[in-house]
Amino acid sequence: ITLCAPSLPAEALLPTTEAQVPVSVPSEADEKPVCGRLPVVPVWGTVLETKGTIWSGTREVKAWDYQLHDTNCRMGVRETWHIERCLQGTWLVLLGASQSSVWLQQLANTLVPGAFNANRDNFITDGVYLQLMDLILEDGKIVHKTIVFTGDKTHLNRHKGVHSQARDSAELPFVFAKLALAPEFTGKQIRITNLLAEYWDEANLGLLAIEGMTEGNWHKSHVFPVVAVGLWYAYSKGCHFPWCETRPALAGLDTEGIVDKFLQGMRRTAGTLQRFC
């Protein structure tokens, strides 16, 4: 944890389960305390340069804080080498559609510029046919990359039924099984994965694939799942274009019915997520 926040005192690293709860740390009179573990997403703020030391306290470095406007706390802004040291030996698993695949590409291209390039790697960040992205880095270099994109430009509006629950149950486990192609876990790599999940049952399939993977000793890594599911449930109600109809079974439901399906799926998946805690 200290590697993730080299500019902050140890007291600032205590985790909290409440959003935007400042951690009590010594600070100057005009300095806001550090945010807790789950701050509100910063949408407006100022980057301020400050002084700090790395975890051993033996080297002075420049550091930055992101001062949130209209809130009572601040967050550290990390350099690439901070992120590398923080993530070493971890497996970050994103489960979502286009949004989470963009997050993966942003992080990967921050760590290794050009790690993912849609034109070069022949994929489209569409949240429908981009089913798997898996990247492993070691010593600042790419040692493994897998991309499963099952569409092409002619498929952009041909989405009807492509993520029915029956089709997903038959298809996605075979796609997620490609995670086993990764090289042996050494404790030094950084692994970043995005598994397609428009709906909660797809996220659960992804979590089960991660949980059941014993090849390459990756079960010994520090696994951090991040789930981003919700928007496609809203599309089922409010979007009337052909590209929205990935799960026609939801399209005929009213708002209450769709929310009920969302909550049912979330509760089932939360049980699987709990096992990663």
Side-chain angles (χ1 to χ4, degrees):
I1 296 177
T2 52
L3 298 185
C4 296
S7 66
L8 305 178
E11 295 90 336
L13 305 175
L14 298 174
T16 176
T17 57
E18 297 184 36
Q20 209 178 327
V21 176
V23 179
S24 178
V25 298
S27 60
E28 298 176 6
D30 58 346
E31 186 180 68
K32 294 183 180 181
V34 176
C35 296
R37 191 169 182 178
L38 299 174
V40 172
V41 175
V43 294
W44 183 246
T46 304
V47 176
L48 303 174
E49 185 175 331
T50 184
K51 293 290 184 181
T53 59
I54 59 174
W55 64 97
S56 64
T58 59
R59 174 181 159 197
E60 288 283 333
V61 295
K62 287 185 178 180
W64 291 264
D65 284 319
Y66 191 82
Q67 182 68 69
L68 304 180
H69 293 182
D70 301 322
T71 63
N72 60 349
C73 60
R74 60 189 173 86
M75 296 190 298
V77 180
R78 309 296 165 221
E79 299 227 31
T80 299
W81 69 272
H82 295 149
I83 302 171
E84 289 174 340
R85 288 182 176 273
C86 175
L87 293 180
Q88 190 176 65
T90 67
W91 186 1
L92 176 61
V93 181
L94 304 173
L95 301 109
S98 58
Q99 184 180 47
S100 62
S101 63
V102 168
W103 294 345
L104 177 142
Q105 292 173 67
Q106 289 175 329
L107 176 57
N109 290 338
T110 296
L111 296 172
V112 178
F116 285 104
N117 181 297
N119 290 329
R120 182 197 64 210
D121 298 330
N122 195 31
F123 68 86
I124 299 172
T125 308
D126 64 351
V128 178
Y129 295 105
L130 185 56
Q131 298 179 334
L132 171 67
M133 303 179 80
D134 190 28
L135 183 74
I136 299 178
L137 308 175
E138 188 167 1
D139 296 327
K141 298 179 181 179
I142 298 173
V143 297
H144 174 77
K145 182 166 71 171
T146 299
I147 301 171
V148 177
F149 176 68
T150 59
D152 57 49
K153 292 183 179 179
T154 65
H155 287 73
L156 290 180
N157 290 311
R158 293 166 55 189
H159 294 175
K160 187 170 183 176
V162 297
H163 286 297
S164 68
Q165 195 162 355
R167 180 169 176 172
D168 283 337
S169 298
E171 182 175 314
L172 290 183
F174 289 98
V175 173
F176 297 161
K178 294 182 182 293
L179 294 170
L181 298 175
E184 190 88 4
F185 175 64
T186 66
K188 297 180 179 180
Q189 303 114 314
I190 299 171
R191 188 171 188 179
I192 315 167
T193 302
N194 187 74
L195 303 176
L196 179 67
E198 291 182 354
Y199 305 100
W200 282 112
D201 54 279
E202 296 170 323
N204 201 55
L205 288 173
L207 290 168
L208 292 174
I210 299 296
E211 188 177 43
M213 183 176 167
T214 57
E215 295 85 353
N217 288 320
W218 280 95
H219 62 287
K220 296 180 180 179
S221 65
H222 300 289
V223 182
F224 295 93
V226 179
V227 184
V229 170
L231 185 58
W232 282 89
Y233 286 89
Y235 285 160
S236 298
K237 177 61 180 177
C239 182
H240 304 290
F241 296 99
W243 61 268
C244 309
E245 300 178 321
T246 61
R247 184 161 289 187
L250 293 177
L253 301 177
D254 58 16
T255 300
E256 184 177 347
I258 291 175
V259 170
D260 185 57
K261 290 288 187 183
F262 176 87
L263 293 175
Q264 288 178 24
M266 182 176 66
R267 292 187 183 106
R268 283 194 296 267
T269 306
T272 307
L273 274 169
Q274 183 66 40
R275 297 199 291 270
F276 288 87
C277 295

